Amino acid sequence: MASPRNGVGIGPQLPPSRVGEVAAWIDRSEEVDGDHLLGDEQRLAGGTVTPVVRVGGTVRRTTGHWSPRVHELLTHLAHVGFDGAPRFLGVDEHGREMLGFVEGEVTVDGPPRGVYTDAALTAAARLLRGLHDATTEFAAAHPLGWRFQVGAPTTGPVICHNDLGPYNTVYRSGRPAAFIDWDFAAPAPREWDVAYALWRFVPLYDDVTAARLGWPTAPRGPRIARFLDAYGLDDRADILAVLHRRQQVIRDTIQTWAEEGDPAFVGLRREGRLAEIDDDITYARRKHREWKAFLT
């Protein structure tokens, strides 16, 4: 039997706990005192794919071949004034990346306060638009070095986060304020991220799943339109086709990397993520015609 989820694809399958007591990482300080940050390590909830620990005032995460490019991206985002991403602070003596740490409300076992409101939905869309707009020049200059998912686009005019959802979002006062966990960031069309965000933020789950996760079972069509309007996506006729492909890519990624022996993805498969995604794919295809009416 699949374990209860909090609406994730590759994102964290978090254990039961209290919402709001897991810290998120994003920092706006200009300097870091290395000695001040030293201290006992504290394992943070989440980190399904990449283990996460706190050391003093930083969050430390293991790195991969894609990490240098992600670090460049985070540095770029800070330079251009995009506040909705973690600040990269360097690499520690163990080769782990260091990100600034600050308290924030994130998903643990269900949505944070206000996550289901229309205001939170539109704020997520606007934050995503801000991210994409901030990466156009960077995407053109940095086409290689990313961690591309199986079957995903490998080029595009912006950098997509590629695992957006409430589980990778910091909420403040009931509004999305920052996106975290950037391991799958890569160039792609804007619609690639938008479609995934619709899946997770609307969200596009059946009524039984939505109710179990604490989401209201409101009609999805109006929320799809609201998100796309807030993002400012004018050419939206094919967004549901992109959604179907996006869901399949996540499924193929988990399946393929699990078969290749990646421990994190073996764990995701064992937890029942493939069955969960299959349910979402079936639901989205069944509702395709109904939702399409809201795209005009």
Side-chain angles (χ1 to χ4, degrees), residues 76-96:
H76 165 79
L77 292 174
H79 178 73
V80 300
F82 178 71
D83 291 331
R87 178 156 294 183
F88 174 62
L89 303 177
V91 177
D92 70 10
E93 67 274 18
H94 302 293
R96 299 175 300 187

Side-chain angles (χ1 to χ4, degrees), residues 8-23:
V8 303
I10 292 182
Q13 181 80 2
L14 298 175
S17 185
R18 295 180 298 275
V19 173
E21 294 189 3
V22 177

Side-chain angles (χ1 to χ4, degrees), residues 23-48:
W25 41 101
I26 178 172
D27 184 68
R28 291 174 176 77
S29 62
E30 296 300 324
E31 297 181 356
V32 177
D33 182 345
D35 291 336
H36 177 70
L37 297 178
L38 294 178
D40 293 337
E41 294 188 358
Q42 176 186 351
R43 182 68 180 267
L44 298 181
T48 303

Side-chain angles (χ1 to χ4, degrees), residues 157-236:
V158 300
I159 301 299
C160 289
H161 179 284
N162 282 320
D163 193 17
L164 285 177
Y167 54 90
N168 274 335
T169 302
V170 180
Y171 286 81
R172 302 191 191 104
S173 301
R175 303 289 188 275
F179 298 134
I180 56 177
D181 194 354
W182 292 72
D183 285 345
F184 296 100
R190 292 173 181 264
E191 293 82 1
W192 195 246
D193 247 1
V194 171
Y196 194 92
L198 288 174
W199 182 12
R200 302 310 192 182
F201 283 106
V202 169
L204 301 180
Y205 308 139
D206 62 36
D207 287 354
V208 172
T209 300
R212 186 173 74 247
L213 300 175
W215 290 91
T217 55
R220 294 10 168 222
R223 282 177 61 85
I224 291 172
R226 183 179 294 274
F227 188 97
L228 297 178
D229 288 346
Y231 179 91
L233 187 69
D234 295 327
D235 186 5
R236 59 184 70 177

Side-chain angles (χ1 to χ4, degrees), residues 115-131:
V115 66
Y116 52 80
T117 64
D118 287 343
L121 182 70
T122 56
R126 290 168 182 156
L127 188 63
L128 178 56
R129 179 59 186 257
L131 163 64

Side-chain angles (χ1 to χ4, degrees), residues 5-14 46-50 61 66 147-150 152 161-165 167-168 180-185 196 199-200 205 246-258 262 264-265 267-269 271 273-274 276-277 280:
R5 61 177 180 173
N6 56 348
V8 303
I10 292 182
Q13 181 80 2
L14 298 175
T48 303
V49 175
T50 303
R61 305 170 79 243
W66 59 89
R147 190 184 197 186
F148 293 106
Q149 296 172 6
V150 176
H161 179 284
N162 282 320
D163 193 17
L164 285 177
Y167 54 90
N168 274 335
I180 56 177
D181 194 354
W182 292 72
D183 285 345
F184 296 100
Y196 194 92
W199 182 12
R200 302 310 192 182
Y205 308 139
R246 191 69 185 85
Q247 291 174 319
Q248 190 62 49
V249 162
I250 286 295
R251 192 193 192 287
D252 292 346
T253 297
I254 295 174
Q255 180 67 35
T256 299
W257 291 352
D262 185 306
F265 291 87
L268 290 172
R269 183 175 61 180
E271 290 172 359
R273 300 299 179 88
L274 297 180
E276 292 173 354
I277 294 170
D280 292 345

